[in-house]
Amino acid sequence: MTVTSRPTPDPVAERREVACPLRDGTRLRTLLLLPHGTGPWPALLVRHPYDVTREEDDGYLDVRRLVAAGHLVALQDVRGRFGSEGVFDPCAQEEADGADAVAWLAARPECDGAVGMWGASYASDTQFAALLGGAPALRALAPAMTPALSALDGFRFRGGVPELGSTLAWTHYAIAPDAIARVPSARERDAEHRRHEATEQAITTGEAYRAGALHEQRDAEGIVRWGLDRLREPLDSPRHRTGKIVDRLDAVDVPVLLTGGWFDVFLGPTLELYRRLRRRAEDMGGPAPRLVVGPWTHDDYSGRAAGLDFGPEASAEAVDLTALHLRWFDAVLRGRALGSPLVQVFLMGADRWVEADVFPPRDARPLELYLTPEGALAPEPAGSGGRRLVSDPASPVPTCGGAVLLFAPFGAGPADQRAVEARPDVVSWRTGPLEKELTVMGAVRAVVHLVTTGTDADVVVRLCDEHPDGTSRVVADGVRRASARSVDPVTGRGGRGPLEPGRAYEIAVDLWSTAHTFLPGHRIRVDIAPSSSPRWDVGANSYAPDGESAPAVTAEHTILQGPGRPSRIVLDVVTSPV
């Protein structure tokens, strides 16, 4: 055990590096940060695979303030990562390991027996996994940017389409370097380095995410192969449920504080988890979940993204996310009063925070805007006809901003879409300049009536705010693979099947949710495209059964409009946000 004493002005009285033993004898590196005083204290634990020493100075919560408030803080590398022993098996290992870690921490003399957890992304998964593994001392969860609900709604898939770009980004950049460094054989380690370099080259050239690349057996490093193998699994594969709570929500019996970002790759599952926990609390009693959503990306809480600054109130520092968490942990773990609202969301466009008791607000109402053959968005379906685009898998539409987690130069946020909208395979509809502001606070969804010459089709829908100067910034987006139109996008249940060329189909596309005010003089704009690469796997326009691939073909898609085929965008709107 390494013990470091600190100067008295430092709220961390003592920093100990200790080993947490698991039931199979594996030891996990754990940093304990002790407050001044004698204790015992309630403990706050974070567990993830990204080197927890970085949490001391670079986490989204200020751990020194957590310690100063009288919490024993524990930072732990998960099995097989950085300072911990064992072999990393993503997600599958975390139920038993998490339960062991919580029990070990709660039993320490420095802890009063109560444990809370916090953390973003994988560190949110580990919280729910510990609860599922059986951790009675775990009293509070504070997950951020969480994919814990389902692997199928932004984690590995979205609308039935593999999340190829984020899978490459996570496995190759976040996980592979340490995994390769731990390979015991110098010969195999060198071979893994060469595979890593080959993957880097393939990403740089675009070869890794061109049409059909997912179904080629590329000689990539081990963790990348693991990730790509998961994307080849059927949507209803049991592997997609490993470590997820979609079928085990009843096990979440402790208070939950959720944090999300409007441009986070896991915004959808974060909000869907909130909705399900809220409905259960309303129907059966128990603690209602709390929700905070800012104008943030997966890893940037500054309130600035894609060249747009949301103002001085937008950052996690300005809203004081650490203080918000401390008030909540004190209420749950120490029984203190909590006066903060159940929901705090940042309203983009108006650039201010809004407080509510639920999200969407109770007065939110659906506004349907119908796509017309002339390229307008109208309150009623008008005219009849269709607008055509040609989908060429060899020339996919490039990803430009949005709720993504990718690699350079594909950043997240409200990026200007004008270059993308100028392509012939992207079709757009828009309102006239608004006479008064319109506020969307809640779900955004599209219904697209489609005819194609292929046997499958990907439908990408993007909601944009078109400024008076012509700038068109993405607000929300989504995708649906038509062959998976009957598959539940969260559970994966339901059958896939080919399209019949020339036949019209109704395709529902979930753009998740937003909180955004379209200002007077701005236009609401909707774009439809056949792809967004490297974010999503490029569709072949030809159907393939599960486990098989089909040759990529060029296809013509026609978006139908009019009373008989009312393609539309549906927005949850409010008249007067608080």
Side-chain angles (χ1 to χ4, degrees):
M1 178 178 73
T2 302
V3 177
T4 305
S5 296
R6 293 174 174 263
T8 52
D10 192 323
V12 179
E14 195 174 300
R15 178 186 186 273
R16 299 177 186 168
E17 184 170 323
V18 300
C20 167
L22 302 178
R23 65 189 70 180
D24 64 357
T26 301
R27 296 179 302 172
L28 306 185
R29 178 179 69 168
T30 309
L31 305 181
L32 296 180
L33 308 180
L34 280 67
H36 293 276
T38 56
W41 306 278
L44 299 179
L45 169 66
V46 65
R47 308 182 64 250
H48 64 59
Y50 307 121
D51 185 1
V52 291
T53 61
R54 297 190 299 178
E55 293 290 335
E56 295 183 88
D57 300 301
D58 195 30
Y60 73 95
L61 298 186
D62 185 338
V63 297
R64 284 179 170 77
R65 290 176 62 190
L66 302 182
V67 175
H71 295 280
L72 169 66
V73 171
L75 314 175
Q76 187 174 89
D77 291 323
V78 299
R79 178 191 295 259
R81 298 295 293 169
F82 291 93
S84 290
E85 297 174 350
V87 177
F88 183 50
D89 186 5
C91 299
Q93 66 189 29
E94 303 305 350
E95 289 188 26
D97 289 3
D100 288 357
V102 170
W104 168 83
L105 183 59
R108 291 190 66 87
E110 305 92 343
C111 181
D112 67 2
V115 178
M117 293 184 72
W118 91 95
S121 195
Y122 195 102
S124 70
D125 263 13
T126 60
Q127 298 175 52
F128 291 100
L131 198 64
L132 295 175
L138 185 53
R139 312 286 172 79
L141 305 184
M145 316 301 185
T146 180
L149 178 65
S150 169
L152 305 178
D153 193 26
F155 182 60
R156 290 184 187 144
F157 295 85
R158 175 94 180 265
V161 183
E163 290 274 1
L164 180 55
S166 61
T167 298
L168 287 170
W170 186 72
T171 57
H172 177 70
Y173 292 104
I175 301 300
D178 180 64
I180 294 171
R182 298 170 71 96
V183 174
S185 162
R187 181 177 178 180
E188 179 55 27
R189 192 163 57 248
D190 288 343
E192 279 286 87
H193 274 298
R194 289 192 295 272
R195 297 183 189 109
H196 188 267
E197 291 169 357
T199 300
E200 178 68 24
Q201 178 68 12
I203 290 174
T204 301
T205 62
E207 188 69 14
Y209 48 84
R210 62 169 174 77
L214 175 59
H215 296 283
E216 296 174 354
Q217 295 298 323
R218 186 179 303 277
D219 188 23
E221 62 269 41
I223 189 63
V224 172
R225 293 198 304 275
W226 176 92
L228 298 180
D229 284 346
R230 296 304 179 273
L231 300 186
R232 300 182 189 109
E233 294 270 349
L235 294 171
D236 60 355
S237 168
R239 290 178 186 259
H240 299 319
R241 286 179 161 74
T242 301
K244 301 302 178 184
I245 61 173
V246 62
D247 296 321
R248 297 182 284 177
L249 203 64
D250 288 345
V252 184
D253 57 357
V254 301
V256 177
L257 166 61
L258 288 155
T259 300
W262 293 128
F263 299 103
D264 173 45
V265 68
F266 302 139
L267 171 66
T270 299
L271 293 178
E272 182 61 24
L273 176 56
Y274 162 78
R275 285 188 288 267
R276 294 185 182 210
L277 290 174
R278 192 196 78 211
R279 283 197 299 267
R280 192 188 65 182
E282 292 174 346
D283 294 344
M284 304 178 64
R290 290 179 177 263
L291 177 69
V292 180
V293 187
W296 306 322
T297 72
H298 190 71
D299 52 10
D300 188 339
Y301 296 66
S302 68
R304 298 183 299 274
L308 190 62
D309 189 332
F310 287 101
E313 299 180 16
S315 69
E317 183 178 2
V319 76
D320 203 344
L321 207 53
T322 298
L324 188 152
H325 278 73
L326 278 172
R327 289 192 297 271
W328 183 77
F329 277 126
D330 281 346
V332 176
L333 300 180
R334 290 183 164 127
R336 296 177 182 174
L338 179 62
S340 59
L342 287 170
V343 173
Q344 294 172 264
V345 299
F346 190 86
L347 180 58
M348 300 179 292
D351 292 353
R352 61 183 178 87
W353 288 92
V354 173
E355 299 178 350
D357 62 336
V358 295
F359 182 84
R362 297 189 190 277
D363 64 344
R365 296 293 182 268
L367 170 66
E368 294 185 319
L369 294 175
Y370 293 87
L371 283 56
T372 75
E374 296 77 28
L377 292 174
E380 299 291 340
S384 62
R387 298 184 67 190
R388 294 175 174 81
L389 63 85
V390 174
S391 170
D392 180 1
S395 179
V397 178
T399 301
C400 182
V404 303
L405 177 61
L406 296 172
F407 32 81
F410 302 101
D416 185 357
Q417 301 297 305
R418 283 179 292 184
V420 171
E421 291 166 345
R423 290 176 57 107
D425 52 358
V426 177
V427 288
S428 301
W429 294 259
R430 60 181 187 164
T431 65
L434 299 178
E435 295 182 0
K436 58 182 181 179
E437 68 180 32
L438 185 144
T439 295
V440 181
M441 286 190 68
V444 180
R445 50 208 180 275
V447 178
V448 179
H449 291 263
L450 180 82
V451 171
T452 180
T453 60
T455 55
D456 205 347
D458 288 354
V459 181
V460 176
V461 182
R462 189 175 298 111
L463 173 68
C464 297
D465 183 337
E466 184 178 317
H467 294 224
D469 66 358
T471 304
S472 178
R473 291 193 175 273
V474 59
V475 174
D477 55 12
V479 67
R480 188 78 172 207
R481 182 156 287 174
S483 59
R485 63 196 177 278
S486 299
V487 176
D488 186 293
V490 175
T491 67
R493 297 187 178 95
R496 294 177 62 247
L499 305 185
E500 179 183 332
R503 178 183 170 187
Y505 292 88
E506 181 179 285
I507 311 298
V509 183
D510 183 3
L511 283 70
W512 289 346
S513 296
T514 192
H516 184 89
T517 294
F518 292 86
L519 298 174
H522 291 225
R523 299 172 187 256
I524 301 170
R525 184 173 183 129
V526 172
D527 299 335
I528 294 182
S531 51
S532 178
S533 178
R535 182 180 187 178
W536 292 309
D537 173 50
V538 178
N541 293 324
S542 51
Y543 174 77
D546 290 335
E548 300 180 22
S549 61
V553 298
T554 298
E556 183 179 83
H557 302 337
T558 303
I559 294 94
L560 302 177
Q561 297 127 98
R565 293 291 179 180
S567 295
R568 59 200 181 274
I569 189 88
V570 186
L571 313 172
D572 281 354
V573 300
V574 297
T575 54
S576 56
V578 178

PDB file of all heavy atoms in Angstrom, residues 534-564:
ATOM      1  N   PRO A 534     -18.330   8.326 -41.255  1.00  0.00           N
ATOM      2  CA  PRO A 534     -18.154   6.988 -40.669  1.00  0.00           C
ATOM      3  C   PRO A 534     -19.047   6.668 -39.473  1.00  0.00           C
ATOM      4  O   PRO A 534     -18.875   5.616 -38.849  1.00  0.00           O
ATOM      5  CB  PRO A 534     -16.698   7.016 -40.227  1.00  0.00           C
ATOM      6  CG  PRO A 534     -16.485   8.432 -39.789  1.00  0.00           C
ATOM      7  CD  PRO A 534     -17.284   9.264 -40.783  1.00  0.00           C
ATOM      8  N   ARG A 535     -19.963   7.556 -39.134  1.00  0.00           N
ATOM      9  CA  ARG A 535     -20.771   7.300 -37.947  1.00  0.00           C
ATOM     10  C   ARG A 535     -21.459   5.947 -38.005  1.00  0.00           C
ATOM     11  O   ARG A 535     -21.334   5.132 -37.082  1.00  0.00           O
ATOM     12  CB  ARG A 535     -21.803   8.412 -37.793  1.00  0.00           C
ATOM     13  CG  ARG A 535     -22.678   8.271 -36.563  1.00  0.00           C
ATOM     14  CD  ARG A 535     -23.676   9.418 -36.482  1.00  0.00           C
ATOM     15  NE  ARG A 535     -24.414   9.386 -35.229  1.00  0.00           N
ATOM     16  CZ  ARG A 535     -25.310  10.291 -34.883  1.00  0.00           C
ATOM     17  NH1 ARG A 535     -25.573  11.297 -35.710  1.00  0.00           N
ATOM     18  NH2 ARG A 535     -25.947  10.211 -33.721  1.00  0.00           N
ATOM     19  N   TRP A 536     -22.211   5.736 -39.050  1.00  0.00           N
ATOM     20  CA  TRP A 536     -22.963   4.489 -39.181  1.00  0.00           C
ATOM     21  C   TRP A 536     -22.453   3.666 -40.357  1.00  0.00           C
ATOM     22  O   TRP A 536     -22.001   4.213 -41.369  1.00  0.00           O
ATOM     23  CB  TRP A 536     -24.447   4.792 -39.373  1.00  0.00           C
ATOM     24  CG  TRP A 536     -25.089   5.377 -38.151  1.00  0.00           C
ATOM     25  CD1 TRP A 536     -25.032   4.884 -36.875  1.00  0.00           C
ATOM     26  CD2 TRP A 536     -25.876   6.576 -38.063  1.00  0.00           C
ATOM     27  NE1 TRP A 536     -25.724   5.688 -36.011  1.00  0.00           N
ATOM     28  CE2 TRP A 536     -26.256   6.739 -36.707  1.00  0.00           C
ATOM     29  CE3 TRP A 536     -26.306   7.525 -38.996  1.00  0.00           C
ATOM     30  CZ2 TRP A 536     -27.038   7.805 -36.269  1.00  0.00           C
ATOM     31  CZ3 TRP A 536     -27.088   8.589 -38.556  1.00  0.00           C
ATOM     32  CH2 TRP A 536     -27.445   8.719 -37.205  1.00  0.00           C
ATOM     33  N   ASP A 537     -22.524   2.362 -40.205  1.00  0.00           N
ATOM     34  CA  ASP A 537     -22.182   1.437 -41.283  1.00  0.00           C
ATOM     35  C   ASP A 537     -22.942   1.825 -42.553  1.00  0.00           C
ATOM     36  O   ASP A 537     -24.148   2.086 -42.512  1.00  0.00           O
ATOM     37  CB  ASP A 537     -22.568   0.019 -40.840  1.00  0.00           C
ATOM     38  CG  ASP A 537     -22.415  -1.005 -41.948  1.00  0.00           C
ATOM     39  OD1 ASP A 537     -21.345  -1.030 -42.576  1.00  0.00           O
ATOM     40  OD2 ASP A 537     -23.385  -1.755 -42.178  1.00  0.00           O
ATOM     41  N   VAL A 538     -22.243   1.876 -43.670  1.00  0.00           N
ATOM     42  CA  VAL A 538     -22.872   2.258 -44.939  1.00  0.00           C
ATOM     43  C   VAL A 538     -23.730   1.100 -45.437  1.00  0.00           C
ATOM     44  O   VAL A 538     -23.235  -0.014 -45.644  1.00  0.00           O
ATOM     45  CB  VAL A 538     -21.806   2.629 -45.990  1.00  0.00           C
ATOM     46  CG1 VAL A 538     -22.486   2.985 -47.317  1.00  0.00           C
ATOM     47  CG2 VAL A 538     -20.958   3.794 -45.505  1.00  0.00           C
ATOM     48  N   GLY A 539     -25.013   1.367 -45.620  1.00  0.00           N
ATOM     49  CA  GLY A 539     -25.916   0.325 -46.079  1.00  0.00           C
ATOM     50  C   GLY A 539     -25.636  -0.086 -47.513  1.00  0.00           C
ATOM     51  O   GLY A 539     -25.170   0.713 -48.336  1.00  0.00           O
ATOM     52  N   ALA A 540     -25.956  -1.335 -47.819  1.00  0.00           N
ATOM     53  CA  ALA A 540     -25.687  -1.887 -49.149  1.00  0.00           C
ATOM     54  C   ALA A 540     -26.835  -1.670 -50.118  1.00  0.00           C
ATOM     55  O   ALA A 540     -26.689  -1.923 -51.317  1.00  0.00           O
ATOM     56  CB  ALA A 540     -25.385  -3.379 -49.045  1.00  0.00           C
ATOM     57  N   ASN A 541     -27.985  -1.216 -49.619  1.00  0.00           N
ATOM     58  CA  ASN A 541     -29.217  -1.099 -50.423  1.00  0.00           C
ATOM     59  C   ASN A 541     -29.742  -2.454 -50.874  1.00  0.00           C
ATOM     60  O   ASN A 541     -30.659  -2.528 -51.686  1.00  0.00           O
ATOM     61  CB  ASN A 541     -29.023  -0.202 -51.656  1.00  0.00           C
ATOM     62  CG  ASN A 541     -28.780   1.248 -51.270  1.00  0.00           C
ATOM     63  OD1 ASN A 541     -29.357   1.736 -50.301  1.00  0.00           O
ATOM     64  ND2 ASN A 541     -27.925   1.925 -52.022  1.00  0.00           N
ATOM     65  N   SER A 542     -29.149  -3.512 -50.357  1.00  0.00           N
ATOM     66  CA  SER A 542     -29.623  -4.865 -50.653  1.00  0.00           C
ATOM     67  C   SER A 542     -29.678  -5.644 -49.343  1.00  0.00           C
ATOM     68  O   SER A 542     -28.770  -5.550 -48.514  1.00  0.00           O
ATOM     69  CB  SER A 542     -28.733  -5.564 -51.682  1.00  0.00           C
ATOM     70  OG  SER A 542     -27.370  -5.495 -51.332  1.00  0.00           O
ATOM     71  N   TYR A 543     -30.723  -6.409 -49.186  1.00  0.00           N
ATOM     72  CA  TYR A 543     -30.987  -7.092 -47.921  1.00  0.00           C
ATOM     73  C   TYR A 543     -30.073  -8.293 -47.744  1.00  0.00           C
ATOM     74  O   TYR A 543     -29.787  -9.031 -48.688  1.00  0.00           O
ATOM     75  CB  TYR A 543     -32.444  -7.541 -47.868  1.00  0.00           C
ATOM     76  CG  TYR A 543     -32.773  -8.378 -46.667  1.00  0.00           C
ATOM     77  CD1 TYR A 543     -32.952  -7.785 -45.426  1.00  0.00           C
ATOM     78  CD2 TYR A 543     -32.895  -9.767 -46.769  1.00  0.00           C
ATOM     79  CE1 TYR A 543     -33.256  -8.551 -44.306  1.00  0.00           C
ATOM     80  CE2 TYR A 543     -33.207 -10.544 -45.660  1.00  0.00           C
ATOM     81  CZ  TYR A 543     -33.378  -9.929 -44.433  1.00  0.00           C
ATOM     82  OH  TYR A 543     -33.672 -10.692 -43.322  1.00  0.00           O
ATOM     83  N   ALA A 544     -29.638  -8.491 -46.500  1.00  0.00           N
ATOM     84  CA  ALA A 544     -28.885  -9.695 -46.144  1.00  0.00           C
ATOM     85  C   ALA A 544     -29.434 -10.232 -44.835  1.00  0.00           C
ATOM     86  O   ALA A 544     -29.627  -9.471 -43.876  1.00  0.00           O
ATOM     87  CB  ALA A 544     -27.400  -9.382 -45.995  1.00  0.00           C
ATOM     88  N   PRO A 545     -29.704 -11.520 -44.744  1.00  0.00           N
ATOM     89  CA  PRO A 545     -30.143 -12.099 -43.463  1.00  0.00           C
ATOM     90  C   PRO A 545     -29.056 -11.943 -42.404  1.00  0.00           C
ATOM     91  O   PRO A 545     -27.885 -11.663 -42.707  1.00  0.00           O
ATOM     92  CB  PRO A 545     -30.377 -13.572 -43.815  1.00  0.00           C
ATOM     93  CG  PRO A 545     -30.532 -13.610 -45.308  1.00  0.00           C
ATOM     94  CD  PRO A 545     -29.672 -12.507 -45.828  1.00  0.00           C
ATOM     95  N   ASP A 546     -29.431 -12.125 -41.140  1.00  0.00           N
ATOM     96  CA  ASP A 546     -28.478 -12.022 -40.039  1.00  0.00           C
ATOM     97  C   ASP A 546     -27.279 -12.931 -40.283  1.00  0.00           C
ATOM     98  O   ASP A 546     -27.430 -14.084 -40.687  1.00  0.00           O
ATOM     99  CB  ASP A 546     -29.153 -12.417 -38.720  1.00  0.00           C
ATOM    100  CG  ASP A 546     -30.169 -11.385 -38.268  1.00  0.00           C
ATOM    101  OD1 ASP A 546     -30.038 -10.209 -38.659  1.00  0.00           O
ATOM    102  OD2 ASP A 546     -31.096 -11.762 -37.519  1.00  0.00           O
ATOM    103  N   GLY A 547     -26.109 -12.387 -40.047  1.00  0.00           N
ATOM    104  CA  GLY A 547     -24.890 -13.163 -40.189  1.00  0.00           C
ATOM    105  C   GLY A 547     -24.349 -13.245 -41.590  1.00  0.00           C
ATOM    106  O   GLY A 547     -23.314 -13.870 -41.822  1.00  0.00           O
ATOM    107  N   GLU A 548     -25.028 -12.625 -42.547  1.00  0.00           N
ATOM    108  CA  GLU A 548     -24.574 -12.643 -43.932  1.00  0.00           C
ATOM    109  C   GLU A 548     -24.365 -11.214 -44.424  1.00  0.00           C
ATOM    110  O   GLU A 548     -24.778 -10.250 -43.788  1.00  0.00           O
ATOM    111  CB  GLU A 548     -25.610 -13.361 -44.821  1.00  0.00           C
ATOM    112  CG  GLU A 548     -25.862 -14.801 -44.427  1.00  0.00           C
ATOM    113  CD  GLU A 548     -26.896 -15.463 -45.326  1.00  0.00           C
ATOM    114  OE1 GLU A 548     -27.086 -14.972 -46.465  1.00  0.00           O
ATOM    115  OE2 GLU A 548     -27.520 -16.446 -44.893  1.00  0.00           O
ATOM    116  N   SER A 549     -23.714 -11.068 -45.551  1.00  0.00           N
ATOM    117  CA  SER A 549     -23.536  -9.767 -46.191  1.00  0.00           C
ATOM    118  C   SER A 549     -24.108  -9.833 -47.600  1.00  0.00           C
ATOM    119  O   SER A 549     -24.280 -10.916 -48.169  1.00  0.00           O
ATOM    120  CB  SER A 549     -22.056  -9.370 -46.231  1.00  0.00           C
ATOM    121  OG  SER A 549     -21.309 -10.314 -46.980  1.00  0.00           O
ATOM    122  N   ALA A 550     -24.405  -8.673 -48.133  1.00  0.00           N
ATOM    123  CA  ALA A 550     -24.960  -8.590 -49.480  1.00  0.00           C
ATOM    124  C   ALA A 550     -24.131  -7.607 -50.285  1.00  0.00           C
ATOM    125  O   ALA A 550     -23.558  -6.659 -49.737  1.00  0.00           O
ATOM    126  CB  ALA A 550     -26.423  -8.141 -49.429  1.00  0.00           C
ATOM    127  N   PRO A 551     -24.039  -7.788 -51.595  1.00  0.00           N
ATOM    128  CA  PRO A 551     -23.264  -6.841 -52.403  1.00  0.00           C
ATOM    129  C   PRO A 551     -23.918  -5.458 -52.396  1.00  0.00           C
ATOM    130  O   PRO A 551     -25.143  -5.336 -52.414  1.00  0.00           O
ATOM    131  CB  PRO A 551     -23.293  -7.471 -53.804  1.00  0.00           C
ATOM    132  CG  PRO A 551     -24.505  -8.356 -53.800  1.00  0.00           C
ATOM    133  CD  PRO A 551     -24.632  -8.872 -52.402  1.00  0.00           C
ATOM    134  N   ALA A 552     -23.086  -4.436 -52.344  1.00  0.00           N
ATOM    135  CA  ALA A 552     -23.591  -3.066 -52.369  1.00  0.00           C
ATOM    136  C   ALA A 552     -24.041  -2.700 -53.773  1.00  0.00           C
ATOM    137  O   ALA A 552     -23.349  -2.990 -54.761  1.00  0.00           O
ATOM    138  CB  ALA A 552     -22.504  -2.099 -51.897  1.00  0.00           C
ATOM    139  N   VAL A 553     -25.212  -2.079 -53.862  1.00  0.00           N
ATOM    140  CA  VAL A 553     -25.745  -1.655 -55.157  1.00  0.00           C
ATOM    141  C   VAL A 553     -26.224  -0.212 -55.038  1.00  0.00           C
ATOM    142  O   VAL A 553     -26.605   0.250 -53.970  1.00  0.00           O
ATOM    143  CB  VAL A 553     -26.910  -2.556 -55.623  1.00  0.00           C
ATOM    144  CG1 VAL A 553     -26.448  -3.988 -55.802  1.00  0.00           C
ATOM    145  CG2 VAL A 553     -28.082  -2.487 -54.639  1.00  0.00           C
ATOM    146  N   THR A 554     -26.199   0.496 -56.130  1.00  0.00           N
ATOM    147  CA  THR A 554     -26.772   1.839 -56.176  1.00  0.00           C
ATOM    148  C   THR A 554     -28.288   1.714 -56.312  1.00  0.00           C
ATOM    149  O   THR A 554     -28.791   0.876 -57.068  1.00  0.00           O
ATOM    150  CB  THR A 554     -26.197   2.623 -57.354  1.00  0.00           C
ATOM    151  OG1 THR A 554     -24.784   2.759 -57.165  1.00  0.00           O
ATOM    152  CG2 THR A 554     -26.821   4.005 -57.451  1.00  0.00           C
ATOM    153  N   ALA A 555     -29.013   2.516 -55.541  1.00  0.00           N
ATOM    154  CA  ALA A 555     -30.473   2.447 -55.561  1.00  0.00           C
ATOM    155  C   ALA A 555     -31.057   3.845 -55.574  1.00  0.00           C
ATOM    156  O   ALA A 555     -30.436   4.804 -55.093  1.00  0.00           O
ATOM    157  CB  ALA A 555     -30.993   1.670 -54.356  1.00  0.00           C
ATOM    158  N   GLU A 556     -32.262   3.959 -56.100  1.00  0.00           N
ATOM    159  CA  GLU A 556     -32.985   5.221 -56.083  1.00  0.00           C
ATOM    160  C   GLU A 556     -34.071   5.149 -55.020  1.00  0.00           C
ATOM    161  O   GLU A 556     -34.896   4.237 -55.015  1.00  0.00           O
ATOM    162  CB  GLU A 556     -33.617   5.497 -57.448  1.00  0.00           C
ATOM    163  CG  GLU A 556     -34.330   6.847 -57.521  1.00  0.00           C
ATOM    164  CD  GLU A 556     -34.934   7.115 -58.895  1.00  0.00           C
ATOM    165  OE1 GLU A 556     -36.055   6.628 -59.144  1.00  0.00           O
ATOM    166  OE2 GLU A 556     -34.263   7.786 -59.707  1.00  0.00           O
ATOM    167  N   HIS A 557     -34.037   6.110 -54.102  1.00  0.00           N
ATOM    168  CA  HIS A 557     -35.054   6.210 -53.071  1.00  0.00           C
ATOM    169  C   HIS A 557     -35.988   7.365 -53.415  1.00  0.00           C
ATOM    170  O   HIS A 557     -35.534   8.452 -53.810  1.00  0.00           O
ATOM    171  CB  HIS A 557     -34.439   6.496 -51.701  1.00  0.00           C
ATOM    172  CG  HIS A 557     -33.433   5.486 -51.241  1.00  0.00           C
ATOM    173  ND1 HIS A 557     -33.383   4.190 -51.707  1.00  0.00           N
ATOM    174  CD2 HIS A 557     -32.408   5.592 -50.335  1.00  0.00           C
ATOM    175  CE1 HIS A 557     -32.395   3.530 -51.109  1.00  0.00           C
ATOM    176  NE2 HIS A 557     -31.791   4.369 -50.271  1.00  0.00           N
ATOM    177  N   THR A 558     -37.272   7.167 -53.221  1.00  0.00           N
ATOM    178  CA  THR A 558     -38.264   8.224 -53.410  1.00  0.00           C
ATOM    179  C   THR A 558     -38.996   8.445 -52.098  1.00  0.00           C
ATOM    180  O   THR A 558     -39.572   7.495 -51.530  1.00  0.00           O
ATOM    181  CB  THR A 558     -39.268   7.856 -54.508  1.00  0.00           C
ATOM    182  OG1 THR A 558     -38.560   7.601 -55.722  1.00  0.00           O
ATOM    183  CG2 THR A 558     -40.255   8.993 -54.731  1.00  0.00           C
ATOM    184  N   ILE A 559     -38.945   9.673 -51.588  1.00  0.00           N
ATOM    185  CA  ILE A 559     -39.679  10.036 -50.373  1.00  0.00           C
ATOM    186  C   ILE A 559     -41.040  10.557 -50.818  1.00  0.00           C
ATOM    187  O   ILE A 559     -41.131  11.565 -51.530  1.00  0.00           O
ATOM    188  CB  ILE A 559     -38.932  11.085 -49.539  1.00  0.00           C
ATOM    189  CG1 ILE A 559     -37.627  10.493 -48.989  1.00  0.00           C
ATOM    190  CG2 ILE A 559     -39.783  11.570 -48.383  1.00  0.00           C
ATOM    191  CD1 ILE A 559     -36.430  10.738 -49.803  1.00  0.00           C
ATOM    192  N   LEU A 560     -42.077   9.840 -50.419  1.00  0.00           N
ATOM    193  CA  LEU A 560     -43.434  10.174 -50.842  1.00  0.00           C
ATOM    194  C   LEU A 560     -44.045  11.209 -49.905  1.00  0.00           C
ATOM    195  O   LEU A 560     -43.764  11.227 -48.692  1.00  0.00           O
ATOM    196  CB  LEU A 560     -44.298   8.922 -50.866  1.00  0.00           C
ATOM    197  CG  LEU A 560     -43.805   7.779 -51.771  1.00  0.00           C
ATOM    198  CD1 LEU A 560     -44.709   6.575 -51.631  1.00  0.00           C
ATOM    199  CD2 LEU A 560     -43.731   8.236 -53.217  1.00  0.00           C
ATOM    200  N   GLN A 561     -44.917  12.058 -50.457  1.00  0.00           N
ATOM    201  CA  GLN A 561     -45.557  13.103 -49.683  1.00  0.00           C
ATOM    202  C   GLN A 561     -47.002  13.260 -50.136  1.00  0.00           C
ATOM    203  O   GLN A 561     -47.365  12.844 -51.239  1.00  0.00           O
ATOM    204  CB  GLN A 561     -44.829  14.435 -49.865  1.00  0.00           C
ATOM    205  CG  GLN A 561     -43.396  14.419 -49.357  1.00  0.00           C
ATOM    206  CD  GLN A 561     -42.403  14.893 -50.420  1.00  0.00           C
ATOM    207  OE1 GLN A 561     -42.013  16.044 -50.395  1.00  0.00           O
ATOM    208  NE2 GLN A 561     -42.028  14.040 -51.339  1.00  0.00           N
ATOM    209  N   GLY A 562     -47.805  13.871 -49.279  1.00  0.00           N
ATOM    210  CA  GLY A 562     -49.199  14.105 -49.612  1.00  0.00           C
ATOM    211  C   GLY A 562     -50.127  13.398 -48.643  1.00  0.00           C
ATOM    212  O   GLY A 562     -49.681  12.614 -47.789  1.00  0.00           O
ATOM    213  N   PRO A 563     -51.424  13.646 -48.740  1.00  0.00           N
ATOM    214  CA  PRO A 563     -52.381  13.060 -47.794  1.00  0.00           C
ATOM    215  C   PRO A 563     -52.339  11.535 -47.745  1.00  0.00           C
ATOM    216  O   PRO A 563     -52.533  10.942 -46.682  1.00  0.00           O
ATOM    217  CB  PRO A 563     -53.739  13.558 -48.320  1.00  0.00           C
ATOM    218  CG  PRO A 563     -53.414  14.814 -49.071  1.00  0.00           C
ATOM    219  CD  PRO A 563     -52.077  14.576 -49.696  1.00  0.00           C
ATOM    220  N   GLY A 564     -52.087  10.907 -48.858  1.00  0.00           N
ATOM    221  CA  GLY A 564     -52.055   9.450 -48.867  1.00  0.00           C
ATOM    222  C   GLY A 564     -50.776   8.872 -48.292  1.00  0.00           C
ATOM    223  O   GLY A 564     -50.770   7.746 -47.784  1.00  0.00           O
TER     224      GLY A 564
END
